[in-house]
């Protein structure tokens, strides 16, 4: 079956530090890959997506590249801000099953 | 604001009771998904409806059921509630249910079973 594995949190960084949150997946076929962010007390918001191998998704300074050879979709940001503190979820959707399969989430805490 | 509306935002009820959670998808979206978020299970897909018909089932218990109405809003019914059903329940919608289109999430209904 499908699965998504994310690095354990929490990840604690100082403002302006470089961020990487690792995500690897197992899926049949050619899934689409997504990063969602959940701010405290809110629902999930799409951060970025990539629908085929070597695609790079980007938004608000965050980037992730769909790497089929390593089955990975790592999230990166060059300089984090306090306002980026949230829980980040990696997810996939494959051709057969159209609901999202989520990773366990990684909590990011950015300190001033 | 995602455009997906869920009501109520909070619900407290006793074990053995039945509750109904409501979701209004974004205007024009035909596909509705229900997810459960709990501390021990993470985010789990429950069920999907597309234009009034059940499209896919995930880890939905037999005590739970859902439907999508002609106006495309959806309801999730939870019965014979147990303490372990306490969780955040999210509804999401997208236009067509396709693999490459993102889902837009509501703010969730927090269910507490006491």
């Amino acid at each position: 079956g499908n699965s998504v594995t994310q690095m354990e949190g929490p990840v604690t960084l100082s403002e302006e530090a470089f961020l990487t949150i690792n995500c690897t997946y197992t899926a049949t076929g050619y899934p689409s890959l997504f990063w969602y962010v959940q701010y405290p007390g809110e629902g999930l918001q799409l951060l970025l997506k990539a629908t085929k191998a070597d695609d790079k998704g980007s938004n608000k300074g965050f980037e992730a590249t769909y790497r089929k050879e390593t089955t990975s979709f790592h999230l990166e940001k060059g300089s984090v801000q306090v306002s980026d503190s949230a829980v980040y979820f990696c997810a996939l959707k494959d051709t057969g099953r159209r609901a999202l399969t989520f990773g366990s989430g990684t909590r990011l805490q950015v300190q001033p | 604001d995602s455009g997906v509306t869920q009501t109520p935002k909070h619900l407290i009820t006793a074990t053995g009771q039945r509750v109904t959670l409501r979701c209004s998808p974004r205007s024009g979206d035909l596909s509705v998904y229900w997810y459960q978020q709990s501390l021990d299970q993470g985010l789990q897909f429950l069920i999907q409806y597309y234009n009034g018909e059940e499209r896919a089932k995930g880890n939905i218990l037999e005590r739970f059921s859902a439907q999508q109405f002609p106006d495309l809003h959806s309801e999730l019914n939870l019965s014979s509630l147990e303490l372990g059903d306490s969780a955040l329940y999210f509804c999401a919608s997208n236009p067509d249910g396709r693999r490459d289109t993102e889902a837009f999430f509501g703010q969730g209904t927090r269910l507490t079973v006491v």
Side-chain angles (χ1 to χ4, degrees), chain A residues 30-32 34 36 38 41-46 49-52 66 89 93-104, chain B residues 2 33 35 37 42-45 48 55-59 88 90 94 96-108:
Chain A
Y30 302 96
S32 292
F34 304 82
Y36 279 84
Q38 185 177 27
E42 297 187 14
L44 284 81
Q45 302 173 26
L46 178 70
K49 71 174 185 180
T51 59
K52 61 183 188 297
Y66 188 144
F89 291 91
K93 192 166 26 165
D94 70 16
T95 50
R97 171 170 154 150
R98 294 173 186 167
L100 290 159
T101 298
F102 285 93
S104 56
Chain B
S2 67
Y33 306 80
Y35 292 86
Q37 185 179 33
L43 265 162
Q44 300 269 321
F45 166 64
Q48 178 199 4
R55 171 69 73 88
K57 258 186 177 176
N59 300 323
L88 199 48
F90 285 110
N94 71 4
D96 51 19
R98 281 175 40 171
R99 176 185 69 89
D100 55 350
T101 51
E102 63 264 32
F104 295 84
F105 283 76
Q107 295 207 328

